Amino acid sequence: ILTNEDLKPANDDLTIIARIKKGMEEKRKDYIKPFQDHVKETNEAYKTLMEPIEQADTITRGKILFFRVEQDRKRKEAEAIEAEKFELAKREAALKGGEITIDLSPVEKPEAVPNKIMTDLGSSGMRDNWKWEVVDFSQVPDAYKMINAGVLTPIVKASKGIIVIPGVRIFNEPILAVNTR
């Protein structure tokens, strides 16, 4: 394209290309729609069939985790009681010249829950699952912060360059739009 006159045939070429692209995209969609419909129906049926299985999984996992937490809590409480009894016995011994009248017999505590359960059908066990939450965004290093483009882009486009956002350069980069008739 060397002159303004060269723009007209280039425009015609782009219009033809746009029509071809649009037509091919429509044909592609027509061709894959039955497959997509079948996949959608299959996924919906699978979801319906899996719902009670997922519920059973969630309930059983919850029961196992609750049991583990409760047993651990009971063991820690029994150990705390034993430690308090021992500390009280030391204080009594210091007061009475070595005589201890406090019952120092161990407190009955639940058996430790094994970390791994193995049967003929399979095994299950605890695994670390580290998570995070932001408690003070201002203290998070910049390397871990990310711009929310889904929020920023529509605001920038709607403002047409009028808005000013500190740390963000807003500029216009025109593109060639092609419309078909």
Side-chain angles (χ1 to χ4, degrees), residues 116-152:
K116 191 166 192 173
I117 298 113
M118 295 177 31
T119 67
D120 290 340
L121 293 178
S123 66
S124 63
M126 299 303 289
R127 179 184 67 193
D128 290 339
N129 183 29
W130 294 100
K131 295 185 176 190
W132 59 272
E133 67 176 332
V134 175
V135 293
D136 186 351
F137 188 76
S138 66
Q139 292 184 4
V140 176
D142 287 346
Y144 297 108
K145 294 179 183 176
M146 186 169 65
I147 299 296
N148 187 341
V151 171
L152 191 59

Side-chain angles (χ1 to χ4, degrees), residues 46-64:
Y46 181 81
K47 184 178 176 183
T48 301
L49 292 171
M50 286 303 295
E51 192 171 322
I53 304 299
E54 294 293 345
Q55 287 175 349
D57 181 73
T58 300
I59 290 168
T60 305
R61 284 175 190 267
K63 287 180 177 183
I64 289 172

Side-chain angles (χ1 to χ4, degrees), residues 76-95:
K76 286 180 181 173
E77 180 65 20
E79 289 167 0
I81 291 170
E82 287 177 352
E84 288 174 16
K85 284 170 51 172
F86 181 71
E87 188 60 37
L88 190 58
K90 281 181 14 183
R91 288 175 47 207
E92 182 184 35
L95 181 65

